[in-house]
Structure formats: structure tokens, C-alpha cells
Amino acid sequence: MSKLKLHLDADTSIKALQNALINKGYDVTRTPTDWMALDASDDVQLLGATAQERCIFTFNIRDFLILGERYKNHYGIILAAQSSWNLSSLIAALSKMLSETEAEELQGQIRWLNQWKC
């Protein structure tokens, strides 16, 4: 089993969120990065995260539900309704997910962050 790596897509790309998770010891990237342009399409973000063997976290529910069906070999898609979360609750839930979940468990899966809500 391997550690879960996370990518924050353009919708969830909050520097404070990334920094908080990195400070807790998790491997987290965000758009933009050296392998992902700020204006990358949703398809490119999912495929880029997949190429990096990263699960992707997004608030863009409608588009990523479709993409998850189109590209079934992804490393996991985590969805959340933006209006239901503040920064501290995102940090807590994503920390719980990253500490409790192995990378293999999310391959090809689409899950709701609420599953790890504290």
C-alpha cells in the first residue's frame, strides 16, 4: 500500500490549505505548479494529476463527475460543495482522508469529502 498524494485543482487551489496540509506532513500540490498551468482545463487537470499519481480535490462537482466516468484510470476524485466548508473544516477533513486512506483505495473512485468530515 502507498501513501495518498493529493492535488488541489484550480477551484480548490488555496495556498493556505496546501501549506497547512504540507505542514502536517502530507504530499500536496496545487494548480498552478510546474506541471500544471493556472488556466488548465478540467480535463488537463485530471489527466495531469493522474500522470503524477495524485488524487484530485475539487469543488467543480458537475464537470468532475462527468470526467471521472470518461477517464476511469484516475487516482481518485474527491468532491465537495464549496458552500459547506470553511478553511479549518477542509484542513481537518482532508487531513483525516490523507491519514486514513491508502492510494490504492481511491483509484478509479469518485468520493465526497463529507465521508471524512470531522
Side-chain angles (χ1 to χ4, degrees):
M1 295 282 192
S2 56
K3 290 276 186 190
L4 184 61
K5 298 186 295 184
L6 184 64
H7 181 73
L8 308 174
D9 84 330
D11 289 341
T12 60
S13 185
I14 305 163
K15 192 158 189 67
L17 176 59
Q18 180 193 26
N19 288 339
L21 295 170
I22 288 172
N23 289 339
K24 291 178 175 284
Y26 301 114
D27 185 343
V28 181
T29 58
R30 71 182 186 97
T31 299
T33 186
D34 58 343
W35 50 268
M36 184 66 59
L38 179 60
D39 62 351
S41 69
D42 294 336
D43 291 67
V44 169
Q45 289 187 82
L46 180 58
L47 294 172
T50 300
Q52 297 287 320
E53 299 182 357
R54 292 181 176 279
C55 174
I56 194 165
F57 173 55
T58 186
F59 294 133
N60 188 348
I61 296 165
R62 185 191 52 164
D63 291 346
F64 276 85
L65 282 170
I66 293 166
L67 291 173
E69 291 300 315
R70 183 179 304 153
Y71 304 110
K72 295 193 181 280
N73 293 326
H74 57 79
Y75 278 77
I77 298 172
I78 305 301
L79 304 170
Q82 186 171 7
S83 61
S84 302
W85 298 87
N86 60 37
L87 182 59
S88 61
S89 63
L90 283 172
I91 292 166
L94 288 168
S95 293
K96 187 174 182 185
M97 179 191 78
L98 288 161
S99 68
E100 294 178 353
T101 311
E102 299 291 334
E104 294 79 7
E105 293 176 58
L106 291 182
Q107 285 184 344
Q109 300 289 309
I110 300 172
R111 302 274 182 88
W112 290 93
L113 186 59
N114 286 354
Q115 179 179 340
W116 294 280
K117 198 164 196 169
C118 301

